[in-house]
Amino acid sequence: MYTQSMDMADTTAPAPVPTAAPEALQSRFDEKIDADQKIEPQNWMPEAYRRTLVRQISQHAHSEIIGMQPEGQWISRAPSLKRKAILLAKVQDEGGHGLYLYSAAETLGTSRDQLLDALHTGKAKYSSIFNYPTLLWADVGVIGWLVDGAAIMNQVPICRCSYGPYARAMIRICKEESFHQRQGFESLMVQMQGTPEQRAMVQDAVNRWWWPVLAMFGPPDAESSNSAQGMRWGIKRISNDDLRQNFVDATVPQAAILGVTLPDPDLKWNEERQQHDYGAIDWTEFWEVVNGKGPCNKERLSSRVKAHEDGQWVRDAAQAYAEKQQARLLKEAA
Ligand code: 3HC
């Protein structure tokens, strides 16, 4: 099970006053980063490092939670008991990933309520990819194959992130993402061996998801405002463009095995670079989606807020139970 270190600072208590001089604290931190050692919650860290981690980890958590929706909509319509059970398990895994990641973000001193409030009021970002609709059953397979495939490409390097709780959470998440990717690919393999209509359905889904998946890796390196600092701090290990290229190179042979065409006339092997060339990504569309104007942004956010409000009774019951337990302990101790 994913755990945090047990001697964490109490985030409700006033922050301890550091005994060493600020320069000494900074140089100890820099030494650890240079030596590729982990920074733990109880260690001193620069405020900008803390803010960057809260930003990235919470965006990641929000993406996992919002990411339950596009596939969750297919649980009741999955074509067999087997597919329903697999999809149910996968969507539950995504919920679990969100919870590990909120826990990791909380170790940095930001409360779960603050993180959720930022999501629900539209202040926090989450991955652009989850603002696209799942129109067909084949979309569910394509999300597994391509979206989870892209997520693994991006997230395996984060297992080596300099912040201990994030790195440890990512190890388990990546193992589960690997199952997600395989189940998607296997579902598509079965559909591609079916009727012409089923094959056309898979191709249609691939056509719609390919470009948003490439954009999911984030803006080109030259326009990636956070990359240089994220790399320096060992939070980010591989750049947006390099991960995108690795993903294209890994996916082209998989598409050939499946028998689908990737919708890019410029996609071809470059002998000199020993990598694939690919066409231009529509960054205008990407930024529109990130800034709330994608096909499903409003629906995703309102469903999320409704789910949170509908769950208020669970939080109230848990709170009442905790208070009752506390009162009993106090009475026994008296
Ligand atoms: N969707 C929405 N916003 C995005 C984005 C995307 N696909 N890609 C980049 N952005 C945002 C960044 O968050 C940043 O905004 P901010 O400064 O306001 O926070 C801005 O665009 C500029 O991008 P940068 O490249 O400078 O940002 P980063 O250095 O943080 O890199 C990232 C972006 C590669 C997404 C990085 O944050 C990261 O690796 N995050 C962890 C992984 C993650 O969050 N993945 C999301 C998908 S989770 C998932 O797919 C679930 C799975 O179950 C399928």
Side-chain angles (χ1 to χ4, degrees), residues 55-56 59-60 63-64 94 97 125-128 130 147-148 151 154-155 158 166 177 215-219 224-227 236 240 286-287 290:
R55 176 187 68 78
Q56 177 167 327
Q59 285 178 2
H60 192 168
S63 304
E64 300 279 356
E94 308 297 5
H97 297 174
K125 289 190 171 78
Y126 60 86
S127 183
S128 50
F130 300 118
V147 175
D148 291 272
N154 162 269
Q155 292 173 19
I158 307 177
Y166 191 24
E177 293 296 358
M216 186 184 157
F217 288 93
S224 165
S225 46
N226 303 300
S227 273
K236 209 167 175 168
N240 297 358
F286 169 77
W287 287 115
V290 172

Side-chain angles (χ1 to χ4, degrees), residues 1-20:
M1 197 183 132
Y2 167 59
T3 57
Q4 301 295 350
S5 49
M6 303 305 286
D7 58 344
M8 264 180 59
D10 174 2
T11 52
T12 58
V17 182
T19 44

